[in-house]
Amino acid sequence: RSLPVEDRYLRFFSTSPRQLEDFVERMVSPDAPRHVVLGALRGERLLGAASYVVDDGEPDVAEVALVVSHAEQTHGVGTLLLEHLVSLARGRGVRRFTAEVLLMNFRMLRVFTDMGLVSTVVPDGDVVHVDLGLDPVESYLDKVADREARADAASLAHVLRPRSVVVVGASRSAGSVGHAVLRNLVDGGFTGDLYAVNPHAKSVAGVDCYSSVTALPEVPDLAVVCVPAKAVPGVAEECGRRGVRALVVISSGVDADALMKLVRAHGMRLVGPNCLGVSTSSPAVRMDATFSAHSTGSGDIGLVTQSGGVAIAVQEELSRLGLGLSNLVSTGDKLDVSSNDLLMWWKDDPETRIIALYLESFGNPRKFSRLAREVARTKPVIAIRAASSEAGQRAAASHTASTATPSVIRDSLFRQAGVIAVDSVPELVDTITALSTQPLPAGRSVAVLSNAGGLGVLAADACVQHGLRMAELSARTAEALSQLLPSTASTHNPVDTTAVVDDETFARCLDVIGADPAVDAVITVTVPTALGDPTGGVRGIVGKPVLAVRTGQTERLADEVPCFAEPARAAAALARLVERVEWLARPREYAEPAGVDLDTARGIVGRNPEGWLPPDEVVRLLAAFGLPVLGGTLATTEEHAVAAQRAFACPVAMKVVAEDLLHKSKGGGVVLGLDGETAVAEAFRGFQDRFGDRLRGVFVQPMASGGRELLVGVATDPKFGPLVVTGLGGVDTDLIDDRAAALAPLSTADADDLLHGFRASGAALAETDAAAVRDVLLRVAELAAELPEIAELDVNPLVLTSTGCLVIDARVRVVAARPTDPYLRQLRSAR
């Protein structure tokens, strides 16, 4: 385990305190936290330690040292210790590490240079001077993620590719869960060694039974636990002592704390508890360790779900369509193995081409976002949106003991990470079917070909409703269609062939339409008549997707063309393919705004560690991030307010600073257009009368010219971090619920989504410099990402003009926040 030093105390957890006290005496100086040490232990044995000492002259520079037991070298212990030391130091304001390494110590040099941090390495005789920048640049996070993915894949191999499995609690009763799991393993043809634990039987389902895990002839990789909840910790302890590498706990109602304590103590991986189980369809494994009534055939779709019911529903629908799963993992209460683990597994799994998720909560959403974004570059990731309503959130918390995610934050995470979001199992299956069988379209332009005019019109309506465009067919295409079709047919999009065409003619029309450069995709709609059924003419087009509609149930036609029961489902599936195309084309870079004075900003937050910042400090904070702030003067007396107006030499606005007054306009705390000393003095005295002892002063600002008003805000979620929100500002904010949101930090594409994501954005930005607003969004996001103490930020209004924009008013709330590192890896026991 990695064990951080807090202030002056080194906290180790071990049954051998003498050893650790000796270590402390040798390595820890009394002026901590300038000197910090981290240690990694296995049981009572110290594996290694890393430390830093802050430079006396440069408080943001520290010298680092690292030592690892010879027997543990090359196992990643030193790298992990250094990662934790970097994270801890960065949270305490250290920005650079320096180290001196002997030239002959190649292993240690490689640890430093392979970290992924910006570094310089300078040889000097027998010593090499190493300098590491600690900012979490993308290259560093990529390296951390790669190291974690390799370690995670190794541990999950015991779950998804076990060489041997034992079912603990394999009852002879056909109606029991343990019997069903064992029967599925047998019937599925598991390729490894299979055992059962049942002290009251010699065999179950043809599998030899043993009295306990300890009595097994070999140590299994995986144990599937199907015993009553109270017995689960005892079974876990026995498995751990025997050397079992992973558990799948089907049982529900288990003591989570007791189970996880045992799992961690023995370095096991855990799926569940309260889950359906796991399966792998690979011919090399063929493992169905679930109690599902039906198994799917071999396939290339990876499915992870917190709900066993959803898993069964998806299985059955895919099986009906001839599609199968590469892996199924039902995480249940998700105490250990999660969607993040599975994303790391599937990222490089050649047998998985599409990933499907059903999540009711996120354990580490920041890590999920980064993982999903990386995986989605090469493999589609689709997620069912769950627990969007208040009732759904209550149900999710009830049956998985999880805290449901606010829907707006979850949707922002999915959109930015490239996760295709759907709202039901049928929508998930529709999207998987389209992605499995059809190429991605080049754009949003769609042609509809139908032998029933009315259904063709409905298909065209559905396309427009889902954000697709009806293609303008060329004159050449229209002419070619007219040569094939009767005179009563319509050769304009949507194309109506009339009910008299046969399947061969319909196929030729499809080829003509598909050859038109203006068409990116085709939706066919066919119905059988007494004159024939042209559905047989529906086939694929090279390089362009074809989706078919035929009233009835969803199916797959010849030539792998997916066929939907109604036009709306086909249009929705096609729109999700377009969504993926557009996400893949997005620029990936994260913009770093120039002119940011981070030291000044941190100083402001340090002086105001809790509560709402005074307005003058808000101005200084926003200005430190280069935001176009109107500015002003905080006046605590009438004379001071008059002097401020005189200095501005123009009409001013006066805004009250008073206890418990957040909405100044609603509370009568704003007066505009005050011109002259008398008006200012009278306004100040009016505020004194209205607010009395609550009055702390007034903020005096020069009046700004009018323009369209926007809101730009930040709200911080304990798990997800800062969320940037934009929409209409001023008095329109409370009247119209029209906003867009994205998680900070923002890429340039994320900022553009925010800029154009609310419904009124077109009208609001019609006569302004959109680039100036985009710059404000990027700077606000940078502020939120760099200062975790900012719990709430509200820029309202941001006034838009033809030449730019101006922050007229803002408020900022600060809370004491301890820096967190969502990408930090944890040390697992490696046996």
Side-chain angles (χ1 to χ4, degrees):
R1 290 175 291 174
S2 297
L3 307 170
V5 181
E6 294 303 331
D7 299 324
R8 293 180 177 272
Y9 301 96
L10 179 63
R11 299 189 294 146
F12 281 105
F13 297 86
S14 172
T15 56
S16 180
R18 181 65 255 170
Q19 177 191 24
L20 300 173
E21 288 171 5
D22 292 342
F23 175 77
V24 172
E25 290 172 5
R26 293 195 306 271
M27 295 199 65
V28 181
S29 61
D31 56 345
R34 287 186 62 256
H35 187 177
V36 173
V37 181
L38 301 180
L41 295 92
R42 179 183 296 130
E44 298 182 5
R45 191 160 65 88
L46 185 65
L47 307 182
S51 71
Y52 73 75
V53 180
V54 176
D55 190 293
D56 289 329
E58 297 181 85
D60 62 344
V61 178
E63 185 176 5
V64 64
L66 179 63
V67 59
V68 178
S69 166
H70 182 76
E72 301 299 331
Q73 291 177 14
T74 72
H75 294 167
V77 174
T79 299
L80 188 58
L81 279 168
L82 196 54
E83 285 179 15
H84 277 255
L85 200 68
V86 166
S87 179
L88 181 63
R90 192 166 54 228
R92 294 184 173 189
V94 178
R95 291 292 172 264
R96 282 174 48 225
F97 273 170
T98 62
E100 293 187 355
V101 184
L102 291 176
L103 184 61
M104 61 185 296
N105 194 347
F106 300 112
R107 288 181 176 176
M108 193 60 68
L109 282 171
R110 185 168 182 178
V111 169
F112 284 118
T113 56
D114 285 355
M115 286 293 291
L117 296 165
V118 176
S119 63
T120 57
V121 179
V122 181
D124 183 8
D126 293 336
V127 174
V128 177
H129 299 283
V130 179
D131 193 300
L132 300 176
L134 303 191
D135 288 336
V137 293
E138 289 298 303
S139 60
Y140 174 68
L141 296 179
D142 288 342
K143 287 278 190 179
V144 171
D146 182 61
R147 290 189 284 264
E148 182 171 30
R150 282 186 276 116
D152 222 52
S155 68
L156 285 181
H158 305 298
V159 176
L160 297 175
R161 292 183 177 274
R163 293 165 298 181
S164 53
V165 174
V166 59
V167 179
V168 184
S171 171
R172 286 174 292 192
S173 171
S176 70
V177 170
H179 185 95
V181 171
L182 186 61
R183 173 59 66 187
N184 279 349
L185 282 163
V186 172
D187 292 347
F190 176 57
T191 60
D193 296 324
L194 184 58
Y195 304 98
V197 169
N198 183 335
H200 308 294
K202 291 185 177 180
S203 70
V204 173
V207 177
D208 291 341
C209 288
Y210 296 83
S211 60
S212 66
V213 173
T214 304
L216 294 173
E218 68 169 310
V219 179
D221 285 342
L222 175 67
V224 184
V225 182
C226 310
V227 300
K230 289 184 179 180
V232 168
V235 172
E237 172 69 13
E238 185 184 13
C239 288
R241 289 186 180 277
R242 185 70 204 275
V244 174
R245 309 301 295 273
L247 304 178
V248 174
V249 178
I250 307 292
S251 318
S252 60
V254 177
D255 184 331
D257 292 337
L259 178 58
M260 280 308 299
K261 183 177 180 180
L262 293 167
V263 167
R264 291 192 181 105
H266 294 287
M268 297 183 288
R269 298 310 305 265
L270 167 67
V271 176
N274 185 26
C275 71
L276 178 71
V278 300
S279 71
T280 296
S281 68
S282 170
V285 183
R286 295 202 304 269
M287 178 189 67
D288 183 3
T290 74
F291 61 92
S292 178
H294 306 285
S295 63
T296 56
S298 179
D300 56 10
I301 301 154
L303 173 64
V304 56
T305 167
Q306 283 182 258
S307 164
V310 169
I312 292 170
V314 173
Q315 270 186 312
E316 291 182 346
E317 280 297 296
L318 291 177
S319 181
R320 189 177 58 78
L321 294 169
L323 299 172
L325 300 174
S326 57
N327 303 113
L328 163 65
V329 180
S330 168
T331 56
D333 290 345
K334 203 172 62 171
L335 296 187
D336 177 30
V337 173
S338 68
S339 57
N340 287 358
D341 295 295
L342 273 303
L343 284 172
M344 285 187 275
W345 172 270
W346 286 322
K347 174 179 175 290
D348 297 315
D349 178 24
E351 296 182 351
T352 300
R353 194 166 64 90
I354 297 172
I355 297 167
L357 316 170
Y358 173 80
L359 308 175
E360 292 172 354
S361 65
F362 293 88
N364 189 334
R366 287 280 163 176
K367 184 177 288 188
F368 172 86
S369 177
R370 185 175 182 82
L371 282 169
R373 186 183 296 112
E374 182 181 2
V375 174
R377 296 289 177 195
T378 56
K379 300 179 180 183
V381 180
I382 315 161
I384 300 179
R385 280 185 286 238
S388 296
S389 66
E390 183 179 347
Q393 291 175 7
R394 286 197 303 270
S398 172
H399 93 269
T400 62
S402 62
T403 301
T405 300
S407 59
V408 66
I409 306 178
R410 175 208 59 204
D411 292 348
S412 299
L413 183 152
F414 284 165
R415 183 176 61 253
Q416 289 173 256
V419 176
I420 302 170
V422 298
D423 293 309
S424 65
V425 169
E427 288 182 6
L428 176 73
V429 173
D430 287 352
T431 307
I432 288 174
T433 306
L435 286 166
S436 295
T437 61
Q438 296 301 300
L440 293 175
R444 291 182 169 268
S445 184
V446 185
V448 174
L449 175 65
S450 173
N451 73 329
L455 290 177
V457 171
L458 291 178
D461 289 342
C463 287
V464 174
Q465 289 167 5
H466 285 89
L468 304 172
R469 293 189 300 269
M470 296 304 292
E472 287 287 338
L473 301 181
S474 68
R476 182 176 180 179
T477 298
E479 175 61 25
L481 289 172
S482 68
Q483 298 297 318
L484 296 169
L485 297 173
S487 59
T488 54
S490 171
T491 58
H492 300 289
N493 194 16
V495 175
D496 178 9
T497 65
T498 74
V500 300
V501 299
D502 55 23
D503 54 3
E504 182 179 347
T505 303
F506 197 85
R508 293 172 65 186
C509 290
L510 179 57
D511 289 338
V512 169
I513 292 172
D516 193 318
V519 175
D520 297 319
V522 180
I523 292 178
T524 67
V525 185
T526 58
V527 294
T529 70
L531 302 175
D533 184 357
T535 304
V538 178
R539 60 194 183 194
I541 300 173
V542 176
K544 295 181 180 181
V546 175
L547 278 67
V549 177
R550 188 181 185 190
T551 54
Q553 67 179 12
T554 304
E555 57 185 327
R556 285 165 69 187
L557 303 179
D559 207 19
E560 294 293 295
V561 174
C563 185
F564 300 90
E566 57 184 28
R569 289 179 64 172
L574 181 56
R576 294 185 192 108
L577 266 61
V578 172
E579 177 185 327
R580 173 158 176 77
V581 169
E582 293 179 345
W583 183 84
L584 288 170
R586 288 161 60 104
R588 304 184 186 186
E589 68 274 5
Y590 283 81
E592 293 187 4
V596 173
D597 185 353
L598 200 53
D599 290 338
T600 295
R602 288 183 174 136
I604 293 168
V605 171
R607 291 193 301 271
N608 303 272
E610 201 75 44
W612 293 96
L613 291 183
D616 53 335
E617 291 278 63
V618 171
V619 169
R620 294 188 188 99
L621 178 66
L622 299 186
F625 278 86
L627 287 158
V629 191
L630 176 61
T633 300
L634 180 61
T636 56
T637 65
E638 178 182 324
E639 292 75 19
H640 192 181
V642 169
Q645 190 276 328
R646 189 185 305 122
F648 288 131
C650 67
V652 297
M654 290 177 59
K655 302 172 182 178
V656 163
V657 179
E659 290 183 9
D660 303 323
L661 180 67
L662 295 181
H663 299 284
K664 293 183 282 290
S665 296
K666 289 182 178 180
V670 177
V671 179
L672 305 176
L674 298 171
D675 193 5
E677 298 178 7
T678 300
V680 170
E682 289 178 353
F684 192 93
R685 289 194 294 270
F687 288 148
Q688 287 178 319
D689 293 339
R690 176 183 290 271
F691 296 100
D693 293 340
R694 297 167 56 207
L695 185 67
R696 295 292 177 265
V698 297
F699 197 57
V700 185
Q701 292 179 289
M703 290 294 295
S705 57
R708 179 71 68 181
E709 297 180 342
L710 292 186
L711 160 76
V712 176
V714 172
T716 299
D717 181 86
K719 278 191 174 182
F720 285 75
L723 183 78
V724 182
V725 180
T726 188
L728 294 179
V731 296
D732 295 333
T733 298
D734 296 326
L735 293 176
I736 303 173
D737 183 18
D738 182 16
R739 297 174 189 173
L743 291 164
L746 300 180
S747 67
T748 52
D750 296 333
D752 281 335
D753 283 348
L754 271 180
L755 198 60
H756 303 291
F758 56 101
R759 295 187 301 274
S761 60
L765 301 172
E767 298 179 359
T768 191
D769 181 5
V773 184
R774 182 187 301 109
D775 185 65
V776 167
L777 294 174
L778 290 170
R779 292 180 184 277
V780 167
E782 183 78 1
L783 184 156
E786 289 288 351
L787 300 176
E789 301 88 349
I790 303 299
E792 196 174 342
L793 183 151
D794 187 13
V795 173
N796 187 19
L798 175 72
V799 174
L800 311 184
T801 67
S802 58
T803 57
C805 53
L806 189 63
V807 177
I808 302 299
D809 198 8
R811 58 192 179 108
V812 175
R813 184 169 64 87
V814 177
V815 298
R818 185 171 182 170
T820 59
D821 187 346
Y823 309 112
L824 194 59
R825 298 188 298 144
Q826 300 300 319
L827 184 63
R828 292 187 182 276
S829 175
R831 290 188 282 111

